[in-house]
């Protein structure tokens, strides 16, 4: 299967190590990656990464090579859904994404923020930070801090 970033969007920047990649193409690739993560589709996920890619899950202090990352995502139990909520370029070789992933039965949901560095049209490094979705902690409620997010807050 061929699904490098260059297939998604065109020529790279002059002087960039990331030939064959535009920021828009990298963003499209990361959004597509999150769709594959939600489907637990290892083969589609694999095509976005260089074979030597490293993935770090900082919240749990874990380092994954590509094969372990694919297994960790695809062998996670449950029927998952998900999508990238926001994807932005941080320059000629890096993309940041915010994604939401949830169980189909609604029993669990997570948000993740990931920073993805590309070389030659593939992700070579991913730094992901995962957090559980849920209510604020009791201590903040007791102090009357914050309020629920409203639709107008999201613009």
């Amino acid at each position: 299967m061929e699904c490098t970033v260059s297939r998604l969007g065109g020529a790279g920047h002059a002087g960039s190590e990331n030939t064959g990649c535009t920021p828009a193409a990298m963003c499209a690739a990361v959004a597509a990656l999150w769709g594959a993560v939600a489907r637990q589709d290892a083969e589609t996920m694999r095509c976005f990464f260089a074979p030597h890619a490293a993935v770090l899950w900082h919240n749990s202090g874990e380092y994954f090579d590509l094969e372990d990352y694919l297994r960790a995502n695809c062998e996670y139990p449950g029927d998952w859904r998900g999508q990238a909520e926001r994807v932005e370029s941080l320059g000629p070789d890096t993309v940041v994404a915010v994604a939401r992933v949830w169980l189909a039965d609604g029993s669990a949901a997570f948000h993740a923020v990931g920073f993805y560095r590309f070389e030659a049209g593939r992700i070579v490094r991913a730094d992901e930070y995962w957090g559980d979705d849920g209510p604020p902690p009791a201590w903040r409620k007791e102090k009357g801090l914050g309020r629920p997010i409203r639709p107008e807050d999201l613009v």
Side-chain angles (χ1 to χ4, degrees):
M1 173 183 291
E2 179 65 26
C3 65
T4 63
V5 174
S6 58
R7 182 180 69 86
L8 295 171
H13 302 283
S16 172
E17 294 287 323
N18 201 22
T19 58
C21 272
T22 64
M26 291 184 301
C27 289
V30 169
L33 169 66
W34 276 102
V37 167
R39 292 187 311 276
Q40 295 178 303
D41 180 348
E43 289 312 306
T44 299
M45 291 169 63
R46 178 187 312 282
C47 72
F48 293 108
F49 288 89
H52 63 280
V55 180
L56 284 70
W57 284 355
H58 293 271
N59 296 52
S60 55
E62 294 172 277
Y63 171 98
F64 298 95
D65 64 17
L66 179 57
E67 294 307 313
D68 283 347
Y69 176 73
L70 296 173
R71 287 189 62 202
N73 276 287
C74 295
E75 295 178 17
Y76 202 97
D79 182 18
W80 293 93
R81 304 289 185 269
Q83 66 184 32
E85 293 185 339
R86 185 174 179 173
V87 182
E88 294 188 14
S89 171
L90 296 180
D93 67 354
T94 304
V95 169
V96 63
V98 177
R100 182 170 181 264
V101 179
W102 63 94
L103 277 169
D105 68 7
S107 63
F110 307 91
H111 269 87
V113 175
F115 295 84
Y116 303 91
R117 187 165 46 87
F118 287 78
E119 288 178 8
R122 303 247 183 176
I123 298 167
V124 294
R125 169 78 181 244
D127 291 87
E128 294 181 351
Y129 303 83
W130 287 78
D132 297 352
D133 288 1
W139 73 267
R140 283 203 302 265
K141 287 182 181 179
E142 291 167 5
K143 294 187 177 293
L145 299 174
R147 62 167 171 73
I149 295 172
R150 297 182 280 215
E152 61 268 21
D153 297 327
L154 299 174
V155 292

